[in-house]
Amino acid sequence: MARPNEEVAAVLQEYADLVAITGGDAFKARAYEKAARAIGGHPSDVSKLDIDGLREIPNVGKSIAEKVVEFLGTGRVAAFEEIRTSVPAGVRELLTIPTLGPHKALVLYEELGVSSVDELLDAIHEERLRDLKGFGEKTEQNILHGIELMKKAGGRILLSAASDAAERIVADLSRIDGCERCAFAGSLRRMRETIGDIDVLVAADRAEPFMEAISTLPYTAEVIARGSKKTSVRTIDGLQIDLRVLPPDAWGAGLLYFTGSKPHNIRIREIAVRQGWKLSEYGLFHGKSGKKITSETEEAIYAKLGLPWIPPTLREDRGEVAAGLRDELPTLIEEADIRGDLHTHTDLTDGLASLEDMIAAVAERGYAYYAITDHAPNLYMQRMTDAKILAQREQVRKLDGKHRKVRLLHGTELNIGPDGDVDWPEEFLAGFDLCVASVHDHFKQNRAEQTRRLVRACENPAVSIIGHPTTRLLGKRPGIDADFDEVFAACARTGTALEINAHPERLDLGDEDILRARRHGVKFAINTDAHSVMHLPYMRYGAGTAQRGWLTKDDVINTWPLQRLRRFLRPSGHGR
Ligand code: DGT
Ligand code: CA
Ligand code: CA
Ligand code: ZN
């Protein structure tokens, strides 16, 4: 498509949206929308056309053609300016939510001042929509569903959404007669941070009942392709699922093949070929006779190739095959090794749960220790004060030991200012058991400035952990630009841990940065940054990401016994 066509289409579509959102003439809005689509899809460059030429495009009448000419000549349309300045850009973003109409978008804006998708999510979670006329819990669900759809439309979906869907499907297929095994494979089993499609495997003698079942499940919206070995469907949430049914004796070979990654598969196939063997999704075979060597389990196939079983999170062709041949694979950290969460929030700031509820939920998870790290004063909207945090500390000290097994640490999440300063002076900071420090603003500073502020935060003796170090939001916001090798070196030098933030929208640090940081000899903390008890289970995504970064228990400070952890947090022995 020619570039001017795109620009004209965008400006007409914007006008249509503005008319709709301000409750204007629906007929007019539709007319502009149709014209936008027609011009966007027009095969030749519209900037070369005059008014008459433009009017030959379907759905483009005199008045619209004149506005297009005006736009192409001056870069603006006078008639659009007034309505445009009356509606902030963020409100238009609301219209991209497929389940939110212009009328409701307008109410949200006028009544609650909501002017972006993120603000809308906040408003829903704070239950502020419930007070609006015409909005109920059902509306909330619809909007949340729409936002999820929108996020998925970006192509890849978050690990958390894919995990939830896959677990439900595996459970449903496992109940069908003749199902000998059922599991998910692909990038989801490797716990990549985002997932393209969900690969589900079934071991059964007859494929047909499973192909039929996946095609007719209540959450299946569309059957993309149906065959005797593979069926692909799209769910009502827009996820693609590939189901493959394998002969039961080829389970291991199929699981290995469809777990991937492709480069890992190629690497191990090379080993087979060097032996004169053939490796496929059906098994490991002699090249000449075609006789089967083995196929039933992954372990057996790896073993024949001279390899230990390689955890799926390592199967990215990042040296795991060579390490396996030397028998030097790391003993990866597991979620069960985690003894406590070191970055969480309560309703004293922007968390949803009370301190007591958070502690009860943490005790339930069997943690040995737990840090409360509410936001510090420089994140102004959280309204933290010295008095509030000290009162919280007193409460924490009182509750400590009430749940016999969980020891409580009182901390805070400091804000790393543009110069690397943090919220409180040294004496005040010394009163905390631990301080996480994170970047929450000034994302646009240049590389040298970002590097310096992070390094200065590391050098602050009170700071033990750098929270969500890159500040990226998957599918929404790239990380800040900094020389992270320099930051990682500073962490190693100063004994500051890097967080692996386990929130599925963050996973920050991500696997590749973890690998880099590890080479500097840095320690890590896997934290959920929970803002509600519902977020505490996100720990599994953090553990998976740490595995993808080849980390062992020893690399991760919140797998350590409390005494060792305390020595790391307060090396000079001051504080409690
Ligand atoms: P995704 O879905 O983009 O997040 O990534 P994957 O890794 O799940 O990729 P997908 O769904 O295309 O295929 C699943 C696995 O099947 C993949 O990880 C490895 C295996 N596979 C697929 N196509 C090929 C291929 O052409 N050669 C080899 N060796 N393996 C393949
Ligand atoms: Ca996949
Ligand atoms: Ca696939
Ligand atoms: Zn936080």
Side-chain angles (χ1 to χ4, degrees):
M1 198 195 324
R3 181 119 198 100
N5 298 28
E6 251 178 83
E7 287 172 5
V8 170
V11 87
L12 296 178
Q13 180 63 49
E14 180 186 19
Y15 185 65
D17 289 345
L18 292 172
V19 170
I21 207 167
T22 51
D25 181 358
F27 200 79
K28 186 171 174 186
R30 227 181 9 258
Y32 274 86
E33 195 170 344
K34 282 183 182 165
R37 227 174 296 136
I39 288 175
H42 192 67
S44 69
D45 187 344
V46 293
S47 66
K48 306 254 153 57
L49 301 177
D50 58 12
I51 293 211
D52 288 336
L54 285 166
R55 290 188 63 180
E56 280 170 28
I57 301 175
N59 297 318
V60 178
K62 179 158 172 286
S63 148
I64 292 181
E66 283 169 353
K67 292 190 174 73
V68 172
V69 169
E70 184 191 352
F71 176 75
L72 290 169
T74 67
R76 58 197 286 278
V77 182
F80 293 178
E81 287 308 312
E82 193 189 314
I83 191 167
R84 198 174 192 174
T85 51
S86 73
V87 182
V91 177
R92 274 201 60 218
E93 190 189 328
L94 296 180
L95 283 176
T96 59
I97 303 170
T99 52
L100 184 69
H103 173 69
K104 284 209 157 64
L106 181 64
V107 174
L108 287 168
Y109 173 60
E110 286 189 338
E111 302 286 328
L112 300 179
V114 167
S115 63
S116 72
V117 173
D118 279 351
E119 287 174 20
L120 177 53
L121 277 173
D122 289 345
I124 292 172
H125 290 132
E126 289 157 16
E127 303 193 347
R128 285 194 280 138
L129 269 58
R130 307 236 171 129
D131 304 326
L132 298 175
K133 214 173 141 231
F135 286 74
E137 243 173 286
K138 185 101 179 85
T139 326
E140 283 178 5
Q141 291 312 316
N142 269 336
I143 296 174
L144 286 176
H145 178 65
I147 293 174
E148 236 176 275
L149 279 180
M150 208 173 71
K151 288 186 178 163
K152 274 159 206 156
R156 304 183 65 83
I157 55 165
L158 296 181
L159 179 57
S160 48
S163 296
D164 293 348
E167 274 159 23
R168 201 178 49 191
I169 291 158
V170 167
D172 284 344
L173 294 179
S174 297
R175 273 195 291 273
I176 293 173
D177 275 350
C179 181
E180 293 195 14
R181 283 166 184 275
C182 182
F184 54 79
S187 53
L188 181 56
R189 185 163 178 242
R190 305 196 311 279
M191 295 194 82
R192 271 193 68 175
E193 61 199 28
T194 59
I195 306 300
D197 64 22
I198 300 174
D199 301 282
V200 177
L201 304 179
V202 163
D205 291 321
R206 288 184 53 233
E208 189 44 34
F210 300 91
M211 302 311 188
E212 176 62 20
I214 190 97
S215 307
T216 54
L217 283 171
Y219 40 81
T220 293
E222 181 195 351
V223 179
I224 301 164
R226 180 159 170 182
S228 58
K229 288 186 185 139
K230 173 180 161 186
T231 292
S232 296
V233 302
R234 193 176 317 283
T235 69
I236 47 178
D237 298 328
L239 307 182
Q240 185 179 323
I241 300 165
D242 291 344
L243 170 67
R244 294 177 179 87
V245 182
L246 312 166
D249 66 357
W251 175 253
L255 188 59
L256 182 56
Y257 184 89
F258 292 112
T259 296
S261 66
K262 200 165 154 180
H264 175 86
N265 288 353
I266 291 170
R267 191 68 67 190
I268 57 177
R269 198 182 314 143
E270 281 167 9
I271 300 177
V273 168
R274 259 182 264 135
Q275 306 289 326
W277 298 337
K278 196 178 141 266
L279 178 62
S280 73
E281 66 262 50
Y282 298 107
L284 184 62
F285 302 90
H286 285 287
K288 286 215 184 84
S289 64
K291 228 181 111 215
K292 190 189 330 184
I293 299 168
T294 187
S295 65
E296 266 154 47
T297 66
E298 287 190 335
E299 285 85 345
I301 296 168
Y302 276 125
K304 285 285 177 204
L305 298 174
L307 288 163
W309 180 78
I310 299 180
T313 44
L314 292 185
R315 300 183 195 172
E316 297 291 347
D317 192 27
R318 291 172 175 159
E320 72 280 7
V321 173
L325 289 170
R326 293 193 308 267
D327 204 18
E328 284 173 9
L329 284 176
T331 304
L332 295 178
I333 183 192
E334 293 185 17
E335 189 189 3
D337 296 327
I338 301 285
R339 295 193 200 215
D341 207 324
L342 300 180
H343 177 181
T344 64
H345 299 269
T346 71
D347 60 6
L348 185 62
T349 55
D350 57 350
L352 294 175
S354 66
L355 178 61
E356 287 85 352
D357 288 351
M358 288 300 279
I359 296 170
V362 161
E364 191 82 3
R365 290 182 65 78
Y367 285 154
Y369 46 80
Y370 166 56
I372 300 97
T373 58
D374 270 312
H375 289 291
N378 294 351
L379 205 61
Y380 301 110
M381 67 257 198
Q382 305 306 337
R383 299 201 169 80
M384 180 54 84
T385 63
D386 294 12
K388 275 161 98 176
I389 199 109
L390 291 175
Q392 184 187 54
R393 183 175 305 158
E394 216 165 294
Q395 211 191 345
V396 167
R397 299 296 182 232
K398 238 190 309 200
L399 291 170
D400 189 17
K402 248 182 100 188
H403 287 273
R404 273 173 306 135
K405 287 185 182 135
V406 196
R407 295 307 309 274
L408 303 180
L409 301 172
H410 187 242
T412 182
E413 181 182 15
L414 301 168
N415 302 288
I416 303 175
D419 298 321
D421 294 334
V422 297
D423 306 62
W424 278 297
E426 203 183 315
E427 315 81 72
F428 195 87
L429 293 178
F432 289 104
D433 297 324
L434 90 163
C435 297
V436 178
S438 319
V439 166
H440 287 128
D441 51 23
H442 291 86
F443 302 123
K444 291 281 179 318
Q445 280 185 314
N446 69 35
R447 189 175 170 89
E449 289 166 340
Q450 299 286 17
T451 307
R452 199 175 63 110
R453 75 197 281 212
L454 284 166
V455 169
R456 279 203 58 206
C458 293
E459 286 168 347
N460 187 325
V463 172
S464 304
I465 300 170
I466 302 294
H468 44 75
T470 78
T471 77
R472 71 169 179 178
L473 292 177
L474 288 167
K476 278 205 218 153
R477 183 174 78 203
I480 53 174
D481 181 23
D483 180 347
F484 277 99
D485 276 311
E486 201 175 307
V487 176
F488 299 158
C491 285
R493 188 174 72 237
T494 59
T496 310
L498 285 159
E499 181 170 80
I500 298 171
N501 190 296
H503 194 293
E505 276 195 6
R506 291 192 185 270
L507 296 177
D508 181 11
L509 293 178
D511 51 7
E512 287 179 8
D513 282 333
I514 295 169
L515 285 165
R516 265 168 75 193
R518 183 173 148 271
R519 286 185 215 114
H520 289 271
V522 181
K523 297 296 179 196
F524 300 83
I526 309 175
N527 298 325
T528 63
D529 198 357
H531 283 68
S532 110
V533 296
M534 307 288 288
H535 298 158
L536 293 168
Y538 287 164
M539 191 56 86
R540 58 195 279 217
Y541 305 122
T545 303
Q547 289 192 350
R548 293 178 58 82
W550 289 53
L551 298 189
T552 65
K553 249 172 92 163
D554 194 55
D555 297 316
V556 180
I557 64 171
N558 52 329
T559 67
W560 298 351
L562 183 58
Q563 253 196 331
R564 184 177 175 200
L565 173 66
R566 278 198 192 277
R567 278 199 304 275
F568 180 89
L569 299 175
R570 288 274 181 256
S572 53
H574 60 83
R576 270 209 323 162

